[in-house]
Amino acid sequence: MKAIKSNLLLLLVLISLSCIVQCTDVSHDGRALIINGERRIIISGSIHYPRSTPEMWPDLIKKAKEGGLDTIETYVFWNGHEPRRREYNFEGNYDLIRFIKEIQYAGLNSILRIGPYACAEWNYGGIPAWLRKYPGMQFRTNNQQFKDEMANFTKLIVDMVAKENLLAPQGGPIILLQIENEYGNIMGPYGDAGKEYIKWAAKFAVSLNASVPWIMCQQGDAPQPMINTCNGFYCDDFTPNNPNSPKIWTENWTGWFKAWDKADPHRPAEDVAYAVARFFQRKGTTQNYYMYHGGTNFGRTTGGPYITTSYDYDAPLDEYGNLRQPKWGHLKDLHAVIKEMEKALVYGNHSNEDHGNGIEVTKYKLNTTTACFISNKDTTKDATVDLNGGKYFVPAWSVTILPDCKTEVYNTAKIKAQTNVMVKKANKAEDEPSALQWSWRLEPLKKQLEDKKFSFQSNQLLEQITTTFDESDYLWYMTSFHQPHKKQYKLSINTTGHVLYVFLNNKLVGKHEHLHLLSKERNVTVRHGKNNLALISATVGLKNYGSFYEKMPAGIAGKPVKLIDGNDTIDLSNTTWNYKVGLVSEKKKFHLDEKSSKWKSVMLPINRPFTWYKTTFEAPPGTDPVVIDTFGLGKGEAWVNGNSLGRYWPAYNDTAQGPCGHCDYRGKFTENKPCRTGCGEPAQRWYHIPRSFLKSGETNTLMLFEEAGGSPGLVEFRTVTVGTICATADKGQTLTLSCPSGGSISKIDFASYGEVKGKCGAFEKGTCESQDAFDVVSKACIGQGSCSISVSKETLGENNCGGSVPFKLAIQAAC
Ligand SMILES: *[C@@H]1O[C@H](CO)[C@@H](O)[C@H](O)[C@H]1NC(C)=O
Ligand SMILES: *[C@@H]1O[C@H](CO)[C@@H](O)[C@H](O)[C@H]1NC(C)=O
Ligand SMILES: *[C@@H]1O[C@H](CO)[C@@H](O)[C@H](O)[C@H]1NC(C)=O
Ligand SMILES: *[C@@H]1O[C@H](CO)[C@@H](O)[C@H](O)[C@H]1NC(C)=O
Ligand SMILES: *[C@@H]1O[C@H](CO)[C@@H](O)[C@H](O)[C@H]1NC(C)=O
Ligand SMILES: *[C@@H]1O[C@H](CO)[C@@H](O)[C@H](O)[C@H]1NC(C)=O
Ligand SMILES: *[C@@H]1O[C@H](CO)[C@@H](O)[C@H](O)[C@H]1NC(C)=O
Ligand SMILES: *[C@@H]1O[C@H](CO)[C@@H](O)[C@H](O)[C@H]1NC(C)=O
Ligand SMILES: *[C@@H]1O[C@H](CO)[C@@H](O)[C@H](O)[C@H]1NC(C)=O
Ligand SMILES: CC(=O)N[C@H]1CO[C@H](CO)[C@@H](O)[C@@H]1O
């Protein structure tokens, strides 16, 4: 870090001498971002670098580019980069500079949302917990200590990217920077201090002389020259707070995040496309998908306490980096038509006609060229719309795009992209034995229970974050009391969660692994004489959102701990409590300690809390992404060759019960639409093992810290690959089908030309189908990586469907 020059101005001068050709000037007017003097449409997508590995980055960025993106956006994760004050980590998946350079090599732009508050379902919203060590510290308000730390980190990041020439005016890819994040949503309770803080943040950002525009999202009072931008599922009705600010959509939610207590959320491709098309129809010019690739919360990085380790987000690229089809392809088709119309969209005159019944016809006119959108906002009624003498069928909740105002090139509800159904395949290395051989050791709890060395003492029940500063998930609360005779009591503990274990006289007498924990009671028998009570409170990620969110307590936080028997109550809240931060295994790094003689291979314990398991395995062959099935395990953390896969918790089922069911893309999407899958099942059973964590041809080690108790007997490795692919196309179109990553089509499961019904996995023939389609398709596709068939009677043979029935070709195949 020492090498960073503080005089950015001097750097910029030096750089500008060496930068004559590639320098990019970025500014904006009220219509669009202006890049090298030209207004541009920006189609961006979020990829958070720590949620994948450097080995995955080039492929993710390449797939984003192929999907029609021109820009990659990311937050910067302060608590990942500065885990302890002025101790920095820019290595591995935190190598921000390498990530931005990968974007640059791919020829894309980048938007850096420094914040440094990120939200992002990330632990503590990205702000380091060590900040809480300072008395009087308050996050995200007019608090001098906070502002000083925020300024220090923000400047560090701007200096770093400037030193590497990564800002657009230096020839780099960064076209926009962001200060703060979604503050407008929560600023009310901060009063004037919040307003002052935002003014300060804007002034501070400008003072960094970065020479690219700064944005503030969800900030209606963003001071000039900050551009305030919009986040949400839709942004068509958003207007920036200044006529000189273009309409920028920083977060168009492509899906939603997973939670431990909920089934898998999905946002239909038709609805994402609808939202984006509406945005461009309504003079939007810069938009970003949140997320384009969601990825994985490795280590202890989830925001708490509900967010799962998977941050898949139902994004166009799935957690493992595969194309999520048809979403990826349907949006790619949209991006192509938007880019085709770019000039008209950013320079043309915009006129809008309301045709009633939710129909709007928009025309962009630029000299002699015109581009049109027809939108149907009705959530149930399809419509046929007249335009320039043509008739256009516009399904409910859809947008049709006509780049010349004549030819329909795209409709958001008519998906042409193929569907890929991914499967998790057993895929063992040849000489891999059929069952994993486990060894085990115990977490040395006894040692900690009996050891008289404490971190500190207090006669209060302390709040957990300000006690552990998140150095560990675990905090011991230990006390003792005397009792004249043996007796049964009700032990009552009021905790803010997230997980609690109770030990009485060194025996585990209760565990509560549940997030909605408030008051917990259980019967215990106390003995005559001295009794020892020890509690382990565990956090599952720290809260990341809300006004004053950092002050939301964790742990037992001053709440009563009582033994109750009718009128006889022993209140232990203010006895002497001894505190220990963390577990022995963390200090001794068991997850790296493969060789210890403590590992035993006989009498494998099952369903025993605080047990470590270890096994070795060979990497599944090939290059497909690898996952581990944790079914049967309880809750804990897993490592492969010392790399954390994150917290696992397959014992936590969807208790919210969905809603699952028929997912209708029509009508405003909310996370509560019945668009979930896996109701009642474990919220996350599969965990990603990036290929770079594995050594091929060598022995790999998997270690599990099973905190809650479970059985490793069913644990196995799988690879994620394309199972079935499907596509449909109407008469007159060309159907294209392809297998990803170098595979080829091995078999045609279904092919029919006529009045096909149903969808991928469940197509049904109509009554008037052509007899030749199956043979034609088989001949054209089997053995090919990709095949194209023009949908006509010339290629597919005659069908007897008559003139009025719309007919199509549908194919289902295997790769
Ligand atoms: C951050 O603060 C440290 C002192 O703690 C100081 O040495 C350093 O220069 C500051 N960094 C920046 C970029 O201002
Ligand atoms: C930014 O530029 C101004 C005016 O040129 C200068 O006074 C200031 O020191 C610069 N700030 C930084 C952080 O380089
Ligand atoms: C936009 O419309 C105005 C007023 O009708 C006209 O003066 C101007 O030339 C038009 N601009 C373009 C780019 O067509
Ligand atoms: C539109 O026409 C004007 C005047 O003829 C011309 O200056 C301008 O370059 C044209 N714009 C485009 C994008 O063709
Ligand atoms: C437990 O805490 C909750 C929330 O702070 C509070 O409403 C409740 O009264 C407490 N229960 C007891 C038994 O103290
Ligand atoms: C505790 O004991 C009481 C009385 O013996 C009984 O009524 C109650 O159901 C027990 N509670 C639990 C949680 O076992
Ligand atoms: C609790 O105390 C009240 C009042 O002193 C008394 O009436 C009651 O019987 C007692 N209950 C028990 C279970 O001892
Ligand atoms: C325990 O101590 C706290 C802080 O000193 C105090 O607020 C609380 O009233 C005490 N509780 C009891 C039961 O004495
Ligand atoms: C959770 O779901 C799994 C699989 O569906 C099932 O086997 C298990 O019994 C469920 N657990 C609970 C507590 O409902
Ligand atoms: C800015 C915006 O559109 N925010 C919306 C995002 O979506 C959520 C959930 O539907 C709404 O509650 C927000 O108002």
Side-chain angles (χ1 to χ4, degrees):
M1 282 315 100
K2 273 190 213 123
I4 291 175
K5 294 237 174 63
S6 58
N7 196 335
L8 188 60
L9 189 66
L10 174 65
L11 269 167
L12 288 178
V13 169
L14 289 175
I15 288 147
S16 61
L17 294 177
S18 64
C19 176
I20 295 152
V21 191
Q22 313 119 302
C23 288
T24 307
D25 179 65
V26 187
S27 64
H28 65 88
D29 60 13
R31 189 74 179 260
L33 285 184
I34 299 176
I35 295 180
N36 287 338
E38 296 228 32
R39 287 185 187 154
R40 299 306 299 264
I41 291 280
I42 301 292
I43 299 178
S44 166
S46 298
I47 301 178
H48 295 159
Y49 52 97
R51 286 175 158 148
S52 52
T53 59
E55 292 76 9
M56 290 169 73
W57 295 341
D59 182 58
L60 296 174
I61 293 165
K62 178 169 156 271
K63 286 170 173 163
K65 187 177 183 182
E66 284 167 8
L69 265 51
D70 50 55
T71 302
I72 305 292
E73 178 269 2
T74 183
Y75 282 124
V76 175
F77 295 89
W78 185 4
N79 56 6
H81 290 302
E82 196 175 351
R84 276 162 295 280
R85 193 166 187 267
R86 307 298 179 257
E87 285 178 31
Y88 295 100
N89 174 20
F90 286 94
E91 305 283 305
N93 59 340
Y94 286 95
D95 192 342
L96 172 64
I97 297 299
R98 176 165 167 191
F99 181 69
I100 301 172
K101 286 187 175 170
E102 294 290 357
I103 296 170
Q104 183 175 29
Y105 297 148
L108 301 182
N109 304 314
S110 138
I111 299 173
L112 203 59
R113 293 168 74 187
I114 302 177
Y117 167 71
C119 193
E121 287 72 63
W122 186 267
N123 189 33
Y124 228 23
I127 299 185
W130 54 254
L131 255 62
R132 296 292 305 282
K133 288 182 180 167
Y134 303 100
M137 171 67 71
Q138 263 195 320
F139 291 6
R140 305 178 70 201
T141 186
N142 198 22
N143 174 293
Q144 198 57 46
Q145 285 166 305
F146 182 75
K147 291 190 295 183
D148 287 348
E149 290 297 328
M150 171 171 164
N152 191 283
F153 180 72
T154 306
K155 186 167 185 316
L156 175 93
I157 296 297
V158 173
D159 286 354
M160 269 179 94
V161 297
K163 177 171 173 270
E164 298 284 343
N165 296 344
L166 293 173
L167 295 163
Q170 304 172 302
I174 299 172
I175 55 168
L176 287 176
L177 293 168
Q178 177 177 291
I179 192 82
E180 246 301 330
N181 183 40
E182 294 188 336
Y183 191 67
N185 292 347
I186 52 95
M187 76 184 283
Y190 292 95
D192 289 342
K195 293 183 189 146
E196 283 307 308
Y197 167 63
I198 278 303
K199 283 188 207 144
W200 167 81
K203 242 172 106 177
F204 167 69
V206 171
S207 79
L208 294 172
N209 297 343
S211 313
V212 296
W214 287 85
I215 57 174
M216 276 188 170
C217 62
Q218 297 292 88
Q219 196 66 47
D221 64 348
Q224 287 295 303
M226 301 292 111
I227 306 173
N228 87 309
T229 67
C230 168
N231 292 354
F233 286 119
Y234 306 92
C235 244
D236 41 342
D237 293 334
F238 172 80
T239 316
N241 65 353
N242 187 288
N244 188 37
S245 294
K247 187 161 161 179
I248 300 185
W249 190 0
T250 30
E251 292 195 11
N252 157 20
W253 301 327
T254 53
W256 199 245
F257 54 82
K258 267 160 82 91
W260 292 119
D261 60 343
K262 293 206 175 82
D264 254 4
H266 303 283
R267 184 178 185 188
E270 293 94 331
D271 184 55
V272 182
Y274 171 83
V276 176
R278 283 284 296 162
F279 178 71
F280 286 111
Q281 178 178 12
R282 302 289 304 269
K283 294 180 84 173
T285 51
T286 294
Q287 88 96 33
N288 176 62
Y289 291 101
Y290 189 96
M291 302 291 300
Y292 198 77
H293 171 257
T296 309
N297 292 308
F298 298 112
R300 302 193 299 120
T301 59
T302 59
Y306 299 101
I307 317 302
T308 56
T309 292
S310 168
Y311 197 64
D312 179 87
Y313 224 88
D314 200 32
L317 299 178
D318 73 12
E319 175 176 5
Y320 319 115
N322 298 308
L323 306 187
R324 172 165 277 121
Q325 289 281 48
K327 197 177 261 188
W328 180 87
H330 191 45
L331 296 173
K332 173 186 163 105
D333 293 345
L334 172 59
H335 304 150
V337 59
I338 294 291
K339 284 287 165 108
E340 191 185 324
M341 301 167 17
E342 179 171 21
K343 280 264 177 313
L345 296 185
V346 295
Y347 287 107
N349 275 347
H350 178 263
S351 65
N352 209 45
E353 276 175 36
D354 190 342
H355 287 214
N357 298 320
I359 309 291
E360 242 174 69
V361 176
T362 301
K363 191 181 277 183
Y364 286 90
K365 188 168 188 315
L366 176 64
N367 297 349
T368 54
T369 46
T370 51
C372 291
F373 292 77
I374 310 173
S375 60
N376 181 355
K377 265 181 112 163
D378 198 282
T379 57
T380 53
K381 285 203 256 352
D382 300 341
T384 300
V385 180
D386 295 321
L387 176 69
N388 298 337
K391 280 196 186 308
Y392 301 90
F393 174 68
V394 188
W397 201 255
S398 81
V399 181
T400 293
I401 303 178
L402 312 95
D404 59 356
C405 289
K406 282 205 183 72
T407 323
E408 169 176 337
V409 171
Y410 189 85
N411 174 276
T412 57
K414 302 176 189 168
I415 297 183
K416 292 180 189 165
Q418 76 179 49
T419 297
N420 293 354
V421 181
M422 307 304 289
V423 291
K424 299 188 176 74
K425 204 170 68 175
N427 184 10
K428 283 202 170 93
E430 252 173 44
D431 45 355
E432 185 77 344
S434 60
L436 293 166
Q437 301 296 306
W438 293 95
S439 50
W440 62 281
R441 67 191 288 192
L442 294 178
E443 172 67 36
L445 291 179
K446 201 157 177 287
K447 191 165 174 237
Q448 270 192 311
L449 281 160
E450 287 166 2
D451 191 350
K452 295 283 178 299
K453 273 193 266 136
F454 311 116
S455 304
F456 46 86
Q457 274 189 338
S458 169
N459 59 357
Q460 282 177 55
L461 290 157
L462 298 175
E463 195 282 323
Q464 189 157 343
I465 302 171
T466 47
T467 306
T468 62
F469 299 105
D470 204 31
E471 296 279 338
S472 167
D473 280 1
Y474 302 99
L475 177 63
W476 287 91
Y477 293 76
M478 305 170 108
T479 193
S480 60
F481 57 96
H482 280 85
Q483 185 55 25
H485 39 255
K486 183 174 168 181
K487 188 171 172 189
Q488 180 175 303
Y489 282 95
K490 193 169 74 184
L491 172 64
S492 166
I493 300 171
N494 205 352
T495 166
T496 55
H498 312 142
V499 175
L500 183 72
Y501 297 89
V502 180
F503 299 82
L504 182 62
N505 298 322
N506 297 356
K507 279 231 306 265
L508 181 64
V509 296
K511 58 173 184 152
H512 297 283
E513 328 120 44
H514 202 277
L515 299 167
H516 307 269
L517 196 74
L518 278 174
S519 189
K520 285 291 162 193
E521 296 182 342
R522 79 171 35 237
N523 292 328
V524 295
T525 304
V526 303
R527 66 187 178 200
H528 161 78
K530 189 182 177 203
N531 287 271
N532 297 315
L533 179 68
L535 312 171
I536 296 178
S537 170
T539 49
V540 187
L542 304 185
K543 201 170 159 53
N544 61 294
Y545 181 74
S547 307
F548 307 106
Y549 75 92
E550 81 275 18
K551 299 278 171 69
M552 290 291 288
I556 301 168
K559 299 291 175 54
V561 172
K562 287 180 190 168
L563 290 156
I564 306 164
D565 176 35
N567 293 350
D568 174 13
T569 296
I570 310 172
D571 189 335
L572 297 171
S573 310
N574 290 34
T575 54
T576 302
W577 288 91
N578 297 313
Y579 290 86
K580 292 180 185 176
V581 175
L583 300 177
V584 170
S585 58
E586 294 178 280
K587 284 180 199 113
K588 300 223 159 140
K589 297 195 172 18
F590 279 20
H591 67 283
L592 299 175
D593 188 11
E594 288 172 41
K595 301 262 151 39
S596 163
S597 60
K598 300 262 167 56
W599 292 101
K600 285 169 274 206
S601 49
V602 290
M603 313 238 315
L604 194 73
I606 299 295
N607 294 331
R608 179 168 180 157
F610 299 99
T611 304
W612 284 78
Y613 297 99
K614 183 185 78 155
T615 191
T616 55
F617 65 101
E618 276 188 44
T623 54
D624 284 334
V626 181
V627 292
I628 171 178
D629 184 357
T630 61
F631 196 69
L633 293 174
K635 171 188 184 287
E637 186 171 349
W639 293 263
V640 166
N641 298 327
N643 301 290
S644 174
L645 307 182
R647 297 188 188 91
Y648 66 81
W649 203 348
Y652 210 130
N653 283 4
D654 157 42
T655 49
Q657 290 297 325
C660 295
H662 172 67
C663 176
D664 188 346
Y665 71 84
R666 298 176 305 174
K668 266 202 192 288
F669 181 78
T670 72
E671 72 251 52
N672 297 320
K673 260 194 171 185
C675 292
R676 293 181 185 261
T677 55
C679 275
E681 288 173 21
Q684 192 183 351
R685 168 175 174 175
W686 309 94
Y687 294 78
H688 184 205
I689 308 175
R691 281 275 173 190
S692 62
F693 289 3
L694 294 167
K695 298 177 270 187
S696 73
E698 284 177 61
T699 301
N700 296 282
T701 304
L702 168 69
M703 260 195 234
L704 306 171
F705 172 49
E706 181 49 65
E707 170 200 309
S711 164
L714 297 174
V715 167
E716 61 170 358
F717 303 94
R718 299 238 164 167
T719 54
V720 183
T721 186
V722 178
T724 299
I725 56 177
C726 295
T728 61
D730 294 335
K731 187 184 161 199
Q733 296 178 340
T734 298
L735 181 150
T736 303
L737 197 62
S738 57
C739 288
S741 54
S744 60
I745 296 167
S746 61
K747 137 168 170 287
I748 304 295
D749 298 322
F750 180 96
S752 191
Y753 177 52
E755 208 185 345
V756 194
K757 295 192 185 67
K759 53 182 191 178
C760 189
F763 283 126
E764 281 172 52
K765 283 194 175 179
T767 51
C768 55
E769 318 294 288
S770 143
Q771 298 307 308
D772 306 336
F774 189 88
D775 290 341
V776 172
V777 169
S778 300
K779 212 167 148 215
C781 298
I782 290 178
Q784 307 293 319
S786 167
C787 58
S788 289
I789 296 164
S790 95
V791 184
S792 66
K793 73 172 181 205
E794 285 71 34
T795 47
L796 293 162
E798 204 76 60
N799 64 32
N800 306 311
C801 296
S804 62
V805 190
F807 51 93
K808 62 182 178 187
L809 170 67
I811 306 179
Q812 179 176 321
C815 286

